[in-house]
């Protein structure tokens, strides 16, 4: 209702301006526009990374907005399932997006994040991402990279979107989304995304406490400063709600934290293995008991579950893309085979993610800033699954079916 009144006033002011009898400047005009929303992801930005480096821009947005003690990812705490869960409000078992690497037994097909054909194929992406929800309700959106936005989900795309290209400079990404936000009239977007991968990449390659991670955090801060500057120059800053998020945390790996799978099970009994902190094993026909019992007998520094035993809070078991046996490694442990052990040891120090999302180390950071949010407030960690509901609330739209609830995040709002 308020938006409608504001819009009507603005049209009137616009008309008066057009005939040249008012001093109403552009700034006032901008103040009367409905609020816009930017969802910004810094990949692999742990909940405590702001303490690691000088981050004046993050700090000032946190002081003027709301910070959470952590953002709890979905399981597995990997990039693709988490970006897609933020976009849809759905747990992996309900969106079907159960990993960075997936095998679908019905289709007998693989999904891998570097396989462009799969990444752009809508059939892997269940549910309704936020850009579709908004576009269906008349709001223009633009994704300056986001997992899922390159696929024709529900035969739709955001109005403006880009294919992921890690060679595109961070400045160019900001310039592009700011351009979309500042198009004249109805061409302008009201919802946009930004995505930056460098903090995650440096964490993997050099470990959490490396100078490279510190430098990447500081670079993120400079990007934020540049974004703020550009939005201010276009009189957009005051009407922007910003959600600064990440998809998961990070933990260092270690030479003495290895689980050698081929020392535990007969590898020949496995039809398929997807390796990682969550290792997925599809046993060969008739071999399920042998594989499970061997893993159970050696259950140290990992948990093993038959599919039907996977704990409820992981929200993973009700999907065909999850195989019959899963192993969840203890934080910091690596599941590998003897062949990979040597190269793994040589590649240390390094870090990864993908572990139990309720481990503190897997939590990421969250700051919200803008007219809708409280100021100078810190709230407890909450699950990223609720952000879809929050975004709908901010945009005044009706959400599609999802697993989140606005009540879980209302504490952020003024
Ligand atoms: P991971 O750390 O293995 O969970 O994956 C992170 C990587 O995903 C990043 O380093 C990016 O290069 C990559 N990535 C992020 N978004 C996309 C996308 N839309 N398409 C392809 N790769 C992406
Ligand atoms: Zn990630
Ligand atoms: Zn990563």
């Amino acid at each position: 209702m308020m938006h409608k009144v504001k819009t009507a006033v603005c049209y009137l002011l616009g008309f008066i301006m057009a005939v040249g009898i008012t001093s109403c400047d552009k700034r006032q005009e901008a103040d009367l526009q409905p609020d816009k929303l930017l969802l910004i992801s810094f990949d692999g930005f742990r909940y405590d990374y702001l303490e690691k480096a000088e981050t004046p821009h993050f700090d000032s947005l946190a002081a003027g907005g709301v910070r959470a003690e952590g953002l709890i990812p979905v399981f597995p705490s990997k990039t693709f399932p988490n970006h897609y869960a933020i976009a849809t409000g759905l747990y992996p078992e309900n969106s079907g997006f159960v990993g960075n690497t997936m095998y679908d037994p019905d289709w007998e097909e693989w999904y891998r994040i570097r396989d462009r054909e799969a990444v752009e194929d809508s059939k892997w992406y269940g549910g309704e991402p936020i850009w579709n929800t908004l576009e269906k309700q008349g709001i223009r959106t633009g994704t300056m990279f986001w997992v899922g936005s390159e696929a024709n989900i529900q035969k739709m795309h955001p109005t403006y979107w880009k294919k992921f290209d890690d060679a595109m400079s961070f400045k160019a990404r900001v310039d592009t989304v700011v351009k979309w936000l500042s198009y004249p009239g109805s061409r302008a977007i009201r919802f946009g995304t930004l995505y930056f991968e460098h903090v995650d990449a440096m964490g993997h390659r050099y470990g959490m406490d490396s100078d490279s991670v510190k430098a990447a955090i500081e670079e993120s801060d400079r990007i934020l400063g540049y974004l703020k500057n550009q939005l201010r120059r276009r009189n957009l800053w005051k009407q922007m709600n910003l959600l600064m998020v990440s998809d998961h945390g990070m933990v260092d790996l270690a030479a003495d934290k290895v689980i050698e799978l081929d020392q535990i099970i007969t590898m020949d009994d496995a039809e398929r293995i997807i390796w990682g902190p969550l290792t997925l094993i599809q046993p060969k026909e008739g071999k399920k008991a042998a594989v499970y019992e061997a893993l159970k007998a050696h259950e140290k520094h990992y948990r093993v579950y038959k599919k039907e035993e996977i704990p409820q809070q992981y929200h993973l078991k009700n999907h065909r893309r999850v195989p019959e046996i899963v192993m969840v490694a203890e934080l910091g442990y690596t599941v590998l085979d003897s062949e990979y052990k040597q190269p793994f040891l040589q590649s240390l120090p390094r870090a990864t993610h993908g572990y139990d999302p309720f481990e503190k180390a897997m939590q990421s950071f969250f700051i919200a800033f803008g007219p809708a949010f409280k100021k100078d407030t810190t709230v407890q960690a909450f699950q990223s699954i609720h952000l879809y509901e929050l975004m709908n609330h901010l945009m005044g739209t009706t959400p599609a079916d999802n697993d989140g609830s606005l009540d879980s995040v209302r504490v952020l709002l003024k």
Side-chain angles (χ1 to χ4, degrees):
M1 182 59 194
M2 202 49 209
H3 283 160
K4 279 195 186 141
V5 173
K6 279 185 182 175
T7 312
V9 172
C10 198
Y11 278 138
L12 186 63
L13 287 172
F15 174 73
I16 297 169
M17 276 170 76
V19 294
I21 52 166
T22 178
S23 61
C24 174
D25 63 11
K26 270 189 172 171
R27 185 178 190 83
Q28 280 168 308
E29 192 189 28
D31 286 348
L32 294 167
Q33 299 286 336
D35 294 341
K36 298 185 182 233
L37 174 61
L38 249 188
L39 170 66
I40 311 170
S41 166
F42 297 91
D43 199 311
F45 202 109
R46 237 172 86 123
Y47 72 96
D48 57 353
Y49 270 8
L50 290 175
E51 269 73 63
K52 274 188 185 293
E54 292 296 314
T55 53
H57 296 295
F58 280 114
D59 298 348
S60 96
L61 293 184
V66 196
R67 182 176 174 184
E69 285 167 354
L71 188 62
I72 304 167
V74 298
F75 197 42
S77 45
K78 289 280 190 184
T79 298
F80 274 52
N82 274 283
H83 280 91
Y84 200 61
I86 291 171
T88 57
L90 290 172
Y91 285 114
E93 66 182 354
N94 295 330
S95 69
F97 218 95
V98 301
N100 275 3
T101 303
M102 302 184 274
Y103 178 79
D104 190 294
D106 285 4
W107 305 336
E108 299 182 358
E109 282 177 49
W110 286 91
Y111 179 101
R112 294 190 179 85
I113 66 175
R114 283 180 231 300
D115 173 351
R116 289 308 307 176
E117 207 180 309
V119 166
E120 291 169 26
D121 189 339
S122 62
K123 73 180 179 189
W124 293 95
Y125 302 83
E128 179 170 295
I130 183 71
W131 50 86
N132 281 7
T133 308
L134 299 182
E135 293 274 350
K136 284 179 187 177
Q137 295 176 55
I139 294 174
R140 262 195 213 292
T141 67
T143 47
M144 188 51 261
F145 302 155
W146 201 270
V147 170
S149 66
E150 302 137 293
N152 201 22
I153 301 166
Q154 300 175 320
K155 302 194 166 59
M156 289 178 72
H157 274 289
T159 298
Y160 312 104
W161 59 281
K162 295 273 179 194
K163 277 191 193 186
F164 181 67
D165 171 12
D166 57 5
M168 184 174 186
S169 77
F170 298 153
K171 181 174 173 295
R173 299 180 199 188
V174 171
D175 290 343
T176 302
V177 87
V178 170
K179 180 181 75 184
W180 294 339
L181 285 161
S182 43
Y183 275 147
S186 64
R187 285 178 62 211
I189 61 167
R190 268 188 65 207
F191 169 83
T193 70
L194 273 167
Y195 170 77
F196 305 103
E197 66 277 13
H198 61 312
V199 172
D200 178 76
M202 292 303 112
H204 282 297
R205 207 170 305 159
Y206 302 111
M208 275 162 39
D209 295 320
S210 61
D211 288 345
S212 306
V213 165
K214 186 166 177 273
I217 298 167
E218 286 169 353
E219 194 184 358
S220 305
D221 194 69
R222 285 193 296 275
I223 296 165
L224 210 52
Y226 178 71
L227 171 69
K228 181 175 173 182
N229 203 281
Q230 294 305 305
L231 290 169
R232 273 207 169 130
R233 281 182 54 185
R234 287 166 181 78
N235 293 317
L236 287 165
W237 183 246
K238 282 195 171 170
Q239 66 192 84
M240 293 301 307
N241 283 309
L242 304 184
L243 293 175
M244 285 150 280
V245 305
S246 182
D247 49 351
H248 49 73
M250 192 62 88
V251 71
D252 280 341
L253 301 174
D256 59 348
K257 291 184 177 171
V258 290
I259 298 157
E260 286 176 75
L261 193 58
D262 53 351
Q263 304 294 309
I264 303 172
I265 67 167
T266 307
M267 296 300 273
D268 224 25
D269 288 350
E271 175 81 37
R272 237 181 353 267
I273 298 175
I274 298 177
W275 301 88
L278 171 70
T279 289
L280 305 167
I281 306 171
Q282 179 59 39
K284 282 189 182 149
E285 186 99 32
K287 297 293 180 186
K288 181 175 165 183
V291 173
Y292 178 77
E293 276 154 28
L295 284 165
K296 198 71 194 166
H298 293 84
E299 197 174 27
K300 199 174 170 208
H301 304 305
Y302 65 84
R303 309 287 308 169
V304 60
Y305 303 104
K306 292 181 193 153
K307 182 172 183 170
E308 58 276 16
E309 299 170 347
I310 298 175
Q312 194 58 37
Q313 75 268 21
Y314 289 161
H315 293 283
L316 205 58
K317 68 177 157 203
N318 291 318
H319 203 278
R320 65 175 188 271
R321 292 176 197 151
V322 176
E324 285 188 286
I325 294 173
V326 306
M327 283 170 81
V328 182
E330 204 174 279
L331 198 64
Y333 276 78
T334 302
V335 185
L336 42 65
D337 61 9
S338 312
E339 205 182 317
Y340 183 58
K341 193 172 173 183
Q342 219 36 49
F344 168 75
L345 295 178
Q346 276 161 6
S347 70
L348 292 172
R350 57 193 273 194
T352 202
H353 51 88
Y355 300 94
D356 185 332
F358 298 99
E359 288 282 359
K360 191 71 194 167
M362 290 299 101
Q363 291 182 15
S364 61
F365 92 122
F366 174 87
I367 298 173
F369 178 91
F373 297 105
K374 285 182 181 153
K375 292 192 189 309
D376 198 14
T377 306
T378 303
V379 300
Q380 285 180 344
F382 66 90
Q383 292 184 285
S384 64
I385 205 80
H386 304 301
L387 293 174
Y388 173 79
E389 283 275 334
L390 176 66
M391 293 189 283
N392 275 283
H393 173 79
L394 294 171
M395 303 307 284
T397 44
T398 307
D401 276 353
N402 70 90
D403 297 321
S405 77
L406 183 60
D407 280 346
S408 306
V409 282
R410 226 183 262 283
V411 62
L412 304 167
L413 298 165
K414 255 185 195 158

